[in-house]
Amino acid sequence: DDVLGLRLLNEFQQGFPVCPAPFAVLASRLGVGEGAVLACLERLRREGQIARVGAVFAPKRIGASTLAAMAVPPEALETVAHAVSRFPEVNHNYEREHRYNLWFVVTAGSPGRLQATLSAIAKTAGYPVTALSMLKEFQPGDGLDRGGRVVPGETGMTRLDEVGRRLLMILQEGLPLFIRPYSILASRLGCDEDELLERIRCWIAEGVVKRFGIVVRRQTPDAGDNALWVKDVPDNLLGRLGGALANEATVALCYERARSLPDWPYNLYCILRGPSRDGLLATIAELGERLGLAAYAGEVLFSAQRFKRDGVQYA
């Protein structure tokens, strides 16, 4: 049912019930039968509209990750991109129109494993890897104090015991679409259902889990309507400018990332999506003038082909 599917997608991307019979709770809220909810979710997953139902972990709270870039000769790009994609730690891998033409996201279980993976990728590819770790995420209306400065959230890494590590691995796969999904996970984990539920609730309360719900499989726009806008902004203005950008309707994502001097001096990253390349360039020019960003050095990198897009795997 299209109406039921739309309601599930719109209303339960977060705040999913963490209780013994979560799908029955959803069914009660939606005024339908539990079987209808399960059947609809299974259909959405089969059609590729959703990736899973479950946890999205907060960056840098579990494991370690970074955006990385590589400058590859155009004639070698396809070969190198496929070599990079073979690493299970790489979940996004795509081309952008720039000298740094290969961009990918690497996630690992610890900072040490992350660094080892980056070194292995550079050795396999035969080209240096530039790591651009995220320092702060700017969100619309979040963390803005009266002065417009973005207040950074808690980013300390959470140490996992053996049960926590195994639970992380299980949650990466998503909840099974059965009446008692947490009971099934508890059996796989070798613990009581109540213990598993309590751990998940604690992770949500502590911010380890960024959100818990239906994970929609995002459709990647075609080349030309996705632009990465990077700027070299004075550090003392970064919070105000990043916060202002995050509140713009045309901005999809906005981050502070580490500079990589001398070749890559940029610290403010902004993803914009639009119907056309010319439209995006006009939007960027307007934002630059209105927000005072035009005074600072920057570049616009348009997306091209995608080589890999998978869910994050921490273990």
Side-chain angles (χ1 to χ4, degrees), residues 163-217:
V163 174
R165 187 186 67 82
R166 289 165 56 203
L167 176 57
L168 170 64
M169 294 176 68
I170 288 173
L171 287 179
Q172 286 178 162
E173 303 170 14
L175 298 183
L177 298 180
F178 293 99
I179 293 173
R180 297 287 294 267
Y182 299 109
S183 177
I184 294 173
L185 296 186
S187 296
R188 291 177 57 189
L189 197 60
C191 69
D192 293 335
E193 183 183 34
D194 288 344
E195 179 186 349
L196 181 140
L197 290 170
E198 185 57 29
R199 277 186 178 258
I200 295 174
R201 291 184 189 118
C202 285
W203 280 358
I204 294 172
E206 294 168 0
V208 174
V209 171
K210 185 176 180 180
R211 63 182 179 88
F212 199 94
I214 296 172
V215 180
V216 176
R217 191 179 295 280

Side-chain angles (χ1 to χ4, degrees), residues 211-244:
R211 63 182 179 88
F212 199 94
I214 296 172
V215 180
V216 176
R217 191 179 295 280
R218 304 294 180 186
Q219 299 300 313
T220 302
D222 295 333
D225 59 4
N226 175 310
L228 169 63
W229 186 25
V230 293
K231 300 291 288 186
D232 179 12
V233 173
D235 292 339
N236 64 324
L237 300 179
L238 188 60
R240 178 175 63 80
L241 293 173

Side-chain angles (χ1 to χ4, degrees), residues 28-141:
S28 176
R29 294 179 185 174
L30 294 168
V32 298
E34 185 178 20
V37 169
L38 288 166
C40 187
L41 288 171
E42 179 58 46
R43 176 179 62 82
L44 293 171
R45 185 168 64 179
R46 187 172 61 250
E47 294 174 352
Q49 295 190 56
I50 66 174
R52 65 185 189 281
V53 177
V56 175
F57 292 94
K60 298 190 177 182
R61 293 300 305 272
I62 296 287
S65 66
T66 188
L67 176 67
M70 189 183 292
V72 181
E75 64 274 13
L77 181 62
E78 292 269 355
T79 300
V80 172
H82 289 306
V84 171
S85 292
R86 284 198 289 270
F87 282 82
E89 295 88 352
V90 173
N91 53 293
H92 288 187
N93 186 18
Y94 47 95
E95 177 189 4
R96 288 196 181 276
E97 298 173 2
H98 190 268
R99 183 175 73 85
Y100 283 101
N101 53 354
L102 190 63
W103 292 73
F104 49 95
V105 178
V106 184
T107 303
S110 68
R113 286 187 62 91
L114 177 64
Q115 188 55 52
T117 301
L118 292 171
S119 298
I121 289 173
K123 183 176 181 181
T124 299
Y127 300 96
V129 174
T130 299
L132 303 163
S133 59
M134 185 176 73
L135 303 178
K136 192 182 301 178
E137 178 180 2
F138 302 105
Q139 296 183 344

